[in-house]
Amino acid sequence: MKRRTFLAGTAATALACPAIAQSSKKLTFLSWNIVDQADMFKRWFAAFTAEHPGVEIEWLDKKGPDLPPFYQTQLAAGTPPDVLDLQGGIGIEYAAQGALLDLTPYLTAHPDVKARFNQDYLNNWVWEGKTWLVPFYVAKTLLFYNKPLFQKAGLAGPATSFDELLAHAEKIGAGGTDQTGFLTLNFDWLYWALFKMNGVDLLSPDLKQPVFDTPKLVEVTEKLAKATAGTAINKISWTGRWVEPLGAFASGKVGMLNAHAPAYFFLKGQGAWINQDTLGVAELPGNWSVPTLHGYGISKGTKNPDLAWAFVEFCTARKQAQEMADSRRVLTAYTEVDNALMGHLEKDEPLAHAVLATQLEHTDKLCGNWPLPNDSRIKDAFYPELQNALLGRKDAKSALDEASRKVARELRRA
Amino acid sequence: MTARDRKLLWLRHAALVLISVVMLMPFYWVLKTSLTGENIYAYPPSLWPVKPHLFNYVDVWYLIPFPRYLLNSIIVSLIAVAGNLVLNAIAGYALTLPFPGRRAVVVLLLSCMLIPFQATIIPAYLITARLGLLNSYLGLALPLISTIVCIFIFKSAFEAVPRSLIDAARIDGLNDLRILLRVLLPLSTPAIATNVVLAFIWSWNNFLWPLIITRDPDMQTLPLGLARFLSYMEDTTGALYAFVVMVLAPGLLVFLMAQSSFMRGLTAGATKG
Amino acid sequence: MALVACFLAPSLLIFLLYRILPLIWNVVLSFEAWSPLHAATWVGWDNYDEMLHDDDVFWQALWNTLIFMASQPIGVAIALGIALLVNSDLKGAAVYRTIVFLSYPLMTVAVAIIWRWMYNERGGLINFVLRRLGIIHQPIAFLDSFAWALPSTIVANTWQVLGFFMIVLLTGLQNIPPHLYEAARVDGAPAWARLFRITLPMLKPSLFLCAVISILNSFAAFDLVYVMTNGGPGHGTELLITYIYKVGFGQTRFDYAAALTVAQFVLLLALAWLANRASGGNAGALE
């Protein structure tokens, strides 16, 4: 009896084997502007396919503005990439569109995977009670400041309140020709900490109503507009993207910069003056910060969901996350890995250590990260009006009224 | 030549030189920025490159597979140019013949010009996928393989050929294809040259279409390479501008090589009655 | 007749696949609510309703696009001037022609990068020259200024297409029989009369072509605006074409973008028809 079943079993396996060998599964991985890590990815793919024979990985990388048209076209054609790397609010947007696979069942089935991550960062991708992405690499905003400019202006250290921040900016801006006090990045809500520290919220807790059109916000906006009209706040804050703002700070003529940690490596490359004694690192007043995260998601239209999950699990495993952290000097939200990285850096690169340390503190004070299904539309409704007010085209009240009206309309449509 | 004529001639040259300077200035400024060693974000900028160096160009060459992208762009443009010459010439010829509904066809073609590519991305992708041409050279060239402006350029050129020549050829028993090849095209070198230059420029510079339909990094064209470089390595030294120069150089070189016959074709037209 | 069909077929096929079918797709889609993952539902005029009554960005973009097109004749006039200067056996004419045309073969993205740099407050040539000449004392943030941003992009666009207009007009000038000028000279007609009585009327087909290309330049300006200002500041340089792209791929509202596309198409048809009437009906000699 046993021998017969054994033989039957062997025969069955023997018949099945050629079938398995023939069916080669293809996994497409679409990443967001990370082509500099090509070597690392090739190692990962080789390791993964060794563990999963018969699997072929196709790697596509698109830069930020190019990824949406590419992805949407793929969706329309019915051939979405299996695994995606998405930045910022677009993750929730795609989830809300129905493009992504709900990862909650996988995380429940693999609690060890879930426990790897810093839960504050992981919770950024919860929408309607479900988790849609897991962290790939994370960053949040901090305050870089130019110590020599601070000394020249007679300032002891970074500000601890909004008004103090503006006062510092005023002083530094007045301190020399072409000098300005403060600069911030403005994409993906990165400036929101400035408002949050004044107790302003964008939307009601249920995310259905705009609640920002308050006298407090008008006051804050007017202060910022006045500072921008002078030399306290550099205009590039509201009009620049990545290169101009960072370039301006790197030129040594700006007192403070509100940007996320990866800016540090860019600045170091451009500003010869930057070293441990000249670059200060601090949290913004109130310890508020805006996260900008990259996460792995799986397309709902994938033909191999389990395989896609295996790939995501693999990429966020200890070894891979460590490689990513070491190679790019970025945090992965994988707690142990991040702690290990910080351990190295403390000795080898104290300034990088100081910068990255801010990324791990106060993760309970994240703002500007509402899980909105129509994040881009809300941004489009809000930011141009805010920009109008900050650049002096409209007065703050009417600009914010207009923004409130437009945001309400978008929320109604959702 | 009278004194007045000489003065006019000098004025003409002066005006043209001024225009040339204005047209060339942006090129020079970018070239200078790519070579200079100063901090380009510091004011005032210098008019000449300060401590010029070629490191930016070296960076760019090693950062992306420049030769591969260049080759891809060349192949796609060759297909597009060849296709344009054939398709546009025969279509242009057909439009010179009287046939019922000709006006409607002309209006149709003119209307087609008013449809921007950005609005056609998704359907164009789906159609190309159906044809099995995704990620292929032909697929890259296909949407631009015939262009309406160039059809009309051929049409105008053919219509400018004296009727007597065409009638004579017909009496000699030549069929339409022969008339096109033996009589019309040889007398329309400006139109041919214009077709070549325009088809080349439009296919060479196309960015959005290759973005959508290429999957292999090896199939990318040069504009995509520029965009790729722009994204991660966007930096405040001259490297970005070095890249601009390097991407423009092949297109400009090709144009400069072709321009003598292109321009000669135009002046030859001056002797036409 | 069969021959005509054969000769027209290949081109018409390409246009059918890549322009007409997509246009029909857009028209149908403009009456529906659709996203890549959900089935389409018919919503009638809703999208158009929103566009006309509930969307001030649309009106801003429309206005900007019209201004953009209205400024194109300046470029055509300059190009005509250059073409007239260069249209002769003037020594070095070929060199001048080449120099003027040199800007056209550039990728628009590259043109945008070049001009964004030219306008830069610190390292840009324009601010440098203006400050050196004492015309201004503080740098002007051309691309961030509500007043200057759109004209700045128009200047960059004009620089790029000037050569193309010049070529079209040159070809037209070459086709004017010289004996017409001879006869006019013999009759004692002054230069400006020759220009207005002979040159311009004979150039009607070329001018019509330039008019159509001007209209199309607002498409070509997509890359220019996208890279130089991204429609900013605050939609100050938003063109219909950039708005369509943003709505489609940025906000993932392809149905609404389709309505915008149809609206733009209708607008352009109207403008092309007007240009046709202005150049004497029947599209100059395009009939």
Side-chain angles (χ1 to χ4, degrees):
Chain A
M1 176 70 174
K2 257 170 85 173
R3 214 172 67 182
R4 240 191 313 177
T5 6
F6 175 73
L7 277 174
T10 324
T13 326
L15 283 170
C17 267
I20 295 173
Q22 273 161 27
S23 70
S24 142
K25 290 191 183 168
K26 190 162 98 152
L27 198 68
T28 309
F29 171 47
L30 174 64
S31 62
W32 183 297
N33 197 12
I34 192 169
V35 82
D36 51 301
Q37 300 298 316
D39 292 330
M40 181 186 81
F41 280 126
K42 294 209 174 79
R43 285 198 301 274
W44 289 13
F45 300 156
F48 185 77
T49 47
E51 278 175 41
H52 300 256
V55 171
E56 192 198 311
I57 300 182
E58 182 194 18
W59 179 37
L60 302 165
D61 181 277
K62 298 283 172 201
K63 68 181 180 83
D66 300 335
L67 193 136
F70 181 79
Y71 184 64
Q72 294 293 335
T73 313
Q74 296 301 310
L75 273 185
T79 53
D82 304 283
V83 178
L84 305 164
D85 156 26
L86 296 173
Q87 172 182 294
I90 214 174
I92 299 290
E93 271 196 69
Y94 284 177
Q97 269 176 47
L100 298 182
L101 193 65
D102 176 14
L103 296 180
T104 327
Y106 288 105
L107 287 170
T108 324
H110 301 264
D112 52 318
V113 174
K114 183 161 184 211
R116 287 173 184 167
F117 302 114
N118 172 318
Q119 299 299 306
D120 291 320
Y121 280 129
L122 182 63
N123 287 337
N124 267 277
W125 285 303
V126 170
W127 180 70
E128 296 210 333
K130 309 191 181 118
T131 308
W132 300 92
L133 292 101
V134 292
F136 178 13
Y137 57 99
V138 301
K140 62 185 185 69
T141 53
L142 63 133
L143 189 71
F144 295 96
Y145 62 98
N146 185 325
K147 283 186 182 169
L149 284 183
F150 263 62
Q151 277 157 13
K152 209 168 76 160
L155 299 169
T160 49
S161 78
F162 178 70
D163 289 316
E164 206 186 334
L165 186 72
L166 285 183
H168 284 187
E170 207 49 80
K171 261 201 178 148
I172 298 177
T177 43
D178 268 356
Q179 247 171 241
T180 43
F182 179 83
L183 226 177
T184 174
L185 295 183
N186 63 54
F187 58 92
D188 281 357
W189 306 107
L190 286 172
Y191 56 87
W192 192 257
L194 291 172
F195 294 117
K196 186 71 181 177
M197 66 176 76
N198 284 292
V200 177
D201 277 311
L202 186 75
L203 304 171
S204 54
D206 62 357
L207 302 182
K208 295 257 192 296
Q209 298 288 339
V211 300
F212 56 85
D213 196 5
T214 57
K216 184 70 189 168
L217 182 58
V218 174
E219 186 197 325
V220 171
T221 309
E222 280 170 353
K223 285 184 184 169
L224 289 172
K226 188 152 158 288
T228 310
T231 53
I233 295 186
N234 193 312
K235 287 183 193 50
I236 300 177
S237 302
W238 315 117
T239 60
R241 274 165 279 213
W242 174 255
V243 175
E244 291 108 302
L246 296 188
F249 185 77
S251 74
K253 297 257 185 169
V254 178
M256 299 175 267
L257 172 70
N258 170 40
H260 49 298
Y264 165 67
F265 300 100
F266 191 95
L267 291 172
K268 200 157 79 90
Q270 299 316 113
W273 58 272
I274 292 178
N275 60 49
Q276 222 185 330
D277 299 316
T278 56
L279 183 68
V281 160
E283 293 278 1
L284 283 156
N287 295 325
W288 290 105
S289 59
V290 181
T292 160
L293 318 171
H294 277 249
Y296 291 107
I298 298 178
S299 285
K300 205 188 230 167
T302 177
K303 299 191 180 54
N304 302 298
D306 292 329
L307 185 61
W309 170 257
F311 183 69
V312 169
E313 204 184 328
F314 174 81
C315 291
T316 54
R318 181 71 197 255
K319 181 162 180 292
Q320 277 67 252
Q322 192 82 62
E323 274 188 54
M324 178 68 187
D326 289 336
S327 172
R328 260 241 182 149
R329 250 91 111 284
V330 72
L331 295 184
T332 57
Y334 187 144
T335 328
E336 278 181 39
V337 167
D338 292 343
N339 290 337
L341 176 68
M342 298 300 280
H344 292 263
L345 288 179
E346 194 161 13
K347 287 177 247 95
D348 302 330
E349 289 186 53
L351 187 51
H353 172 89
V355 169
L356 289 179
T358 60
Q359 310 290 287
L360 291 173
E361 319 167 325
H362 306 291
T363 54
D364 54 331
K365 287 203 140 171
L366 298 174
C367 63
N369 59 344
W370 314 274
L372 293 166
N374 47 3
D375 185 69
S376 340
R377 295 181 217 172
I378 306 281
K379 265 203 291 259
D380 254 359
F382 180 78
Y383 188 69
E385 288 300 331
L386 181 68
Q387 201 189 34
N388 282 342
L390 292 170
L391 291 177
R393 186 193 196 189
K394 272 185 177 174
D395 68 285
K397 183 89 185 91
S398 44
L400 290 171
D401 283 344
E402 186 62 23
S404 189
R405 199 179 62 82
K406 288 181 174 168
V407 170
R409 194 177 58 191
E410 290 302 336
L411 289 169
R412 236 183 305 127
R413 285 211 200 109
Chain B
M1 204 196 277
T2 65
R4 185 164 173 273
D5 283 342
R6 242 196 301 269
K7 196 170 114 187
L8 275 178
L9 194 63
W10 270 108
L11 275 175
R12 273 180 119 164
H13 273 288
L16 285 170
V17 167
L18 183 64
I19 291 168
S20 302
V21 167
V22 169
M23 293 305 286
L24 287 178
M25 224 9 186
F27 284 104
Y28 170 71
W29 199 246
V30 165
L31 187 64
K32 175 224 134 195
T33 310
S34 68
L35 292 171
T36 192
E38 59 182 320
N39 175 358
I40 60 178
Y41 273 91
Y43 183 84
S46 145
L47 273 182
W48 306 107
V50 168
K51 291 204 268 274
H53 61 81
L54 285 175
F55 296 133
N56 291 330
Y57 289 92
V58 172
D59 278 344
V60 168
W61 183 266
Y62 283 111
L63 204 64
I64 61 150
F66 196 84
R68 175 79 214 187
Y69 290 165
L70 182 62
L71 179 69
N72 290 338
S73 278
I74 290 177
I75 294 178
V76 172
S77 289
L78 279 177
I79 297 176
V81 169
N84 260 281
L85 283 178
V86 173
L87 269 64
N88 296 346
I90 58 180
Y93 178 66
L95 288 180
T96 63
L97 303 171
F99 63 89
R102 188 173 86 154
R103 195 187 190 131
V105 172
V106 169
V107 169
L108 178 69
L109 288 178
L110 286 174
S111 321
C112 280
M113 267 204 278
L114 306 177
I115 306 168
F117 176 72
Q118 287 81 4
T120 64
I121 294 177
I122 290 187
Y125 181 86
L126 293 173
I127 289 171
T128 314
R130 263 302 160 79
L131 293 172
L133 290 176
L134 289 179
N135 205 38
S136 69
Y137 287 122
L138 183 56
L140 281 167
L142 207 56
L144 285 174
I145 217 163
S146 176
T147 49
I148 298 158
V149 170
C150 294
I151 291 179
F152 283 115
I153 290 179
F154 267 131
K155 177 176 180 292
S156 301
F158 294 160
E159 281 172 345
V161 172
R163 277 237 71 115
S164 45
L165 285 174
I166 305 175
D167 291 337
R170 237 186 258 280
I171 292 174
D172 278 349
L174 268 62
N175 65 22
D176 287 283
L177 190 59
R178 281 259 161 72
I179 293 179
L180 178 64
L181 288 174
R182 293 287 170 77
V183 179
L184 293 172
L185 280 178
L187 289 176
S188 309
T189 36
I192 295 179
T194 310
N195 254 272
V196 168
V197 169
L198 291 180
F200 178 79
I201 292 173
W202 290 338
S203 61
W204 186 265
N205 290 341
N206 201 356
F207 166 73
L208 208 44
W209 183 238
L211 174 73
I212 302 289
I213 77 161
T214 57
R215 284 181 92 90
D216 291 332
D218 280 347
M219 285 300 289
Q220 289 184 5
T221 57
L222 215 45
L224 275 187
L226 171 65
R228 162 142 310 286
F229 184 75
L230 265 184
S231 61
Y232 187 66
M233 290 311 279
E234 228 186 315
D235 68 51
T236 56
T237 68
L240 172 63
Y241 303 101
F243 196 88
V244 169
V245 171
M246 280 178 82
V247 165
L248 297 182
L252 281 178
L253 275 172
V254 170
F255 168 68
L256 286 173
M257 289 191 301
Q259 63 84 22
S260 53
S261 34
F262 177 43
M263 296 295 179
R264 222 185 314 125
L266 281 178
T267 48
T271 59
K272 231 167 30 186
Chain C
M1 190 57 207
L3 177 88
V4 163
C6 262
F7 275 13
L8 282 174
S11 293
L12 283 180
L13 182 64
I14 299 289
F15 301 141
L16 179 73
L17 288 180
Y18 288 107
R19 298 187 195 233
I20 299 176
L21 283 180
L23 179 66
I24 296 175
W25 182 82
N26 271 292
V27 171
V28 172
L29 191 56
S30 69
F31 292 108
E32 297 176 336
W34 176 77
S35 78
L37 293 160
H38 301 116
T41 52
W42 190 261
V43 293
W45 294 100
D46 281 5
N47 287 324
Y48 292 101
D49 201 32
E50 182 189 333
M51 184 176 82
L52 293 172
H53 298 128
D54 209 15
D55 188 353
D56 31 356
V57 181
F58 166 69
W59 292 106
Q60 173 86 48
L62 177 62
W63 179 244
N64 290 340
T65 308
L66 289 174
I67 294 184
F68 193 89
M69 292 184 198
S71 66
Q72 298 288 310
I74 302 174
V76 177
I78 299 177
L80 182 60
I82 300 177
L84 287 170
L85 280 174
V86 146
N87 178 37
S88 62
D89 44 4
L90 188 73
K91 214 165 39 163
V95 174
Y96 290 125
R97 282 194 287 253
T98 308
I99 289 178
V100 174
F101 191 69
L102 219 50
S103 57
Y104 191 69
L106 303 187
M107 235 176 287
T108 317
V109 172
V111 175
I113 294 173
I114 292 174
W115 277 90
R116 197 169 72 180
W117 186 238
M118 292 276 287
Y119 284 120
N120 187 277
E121 284 153 66
R122 293 170 178 278
L125 183 61
I126 296 180
N127 270 306
F128 178 60
V129 168
L130 289 175
R131 280 170 91 169
R132 267 296 154 84
L133 291 179
I135 300 178
I136 56 173
H137 300 286
Q138 285 294 331
I140 301 179
F142 286 99
L143 297 180
D144 301 329
S145 143
F146 291 109
W148 290 107
L150 189 59
S152 305
T153 44
I154 291 175
V155 166
N157 176 261
T158 306
W159 177 82
Q160 190 186 17
V161 300
L162 207 57
F164 192 29
F165 286 146
M166 184 196 72
I167 294 292
V168 171
L169 292 168
L170 257 183
T171 317
L173 285 175
Q174 306 282 6
N175 283 332
I176 301 179
H179 64 78
L180 287 177
Y181 289 118
E182 286 310 313
R185 228 186 288 262
V186 162
D187 280 349
W192 62 265
R194 294 204 295 273
L195 177 68
F196 283 100
R197 294 287 171 77
I198 302 177
T199 315
L200 286 181
M202 294 294 288
L203 274 182
K204 278 220 175 106
S206 304
L207 285 171
F208 176 71
L209 197 54
C210 284
V212 174
I213 290 163
S214 306
I215 294 174
L216 295 184
N217 272 338
S218 72
F219 293 168
F222 173 79
D223 284 322
L224 208 61
V225 169
Y226 201 71
V227 174
M228 279 174 88
T229 58
N230 198 19
H235 298 299
T237 51
E238 196 82 61
L239 300 177
L240 279 175
I241 188 74
T242 57
Y243 189 46
I244 289 174
Y245 185 79
K246 280 183 187 174
V247 167
F249 291 104
Q251 296 180 12
T252 326
R253 295 186 64 197
F254 294 108
D255 37 23
Y256 188 58
L260 292 169
T261 304
V262 172
Q264 183 182 243
F265 182 70
V266 169
L267 169 72
L268 297 179
L269 268 181
L271 288 175
W273 183 79
L274 279 173
N276 186 27
R277 297 301 307 266
S279 57
N282 69 6
L286 282 177
E287 164 44 27

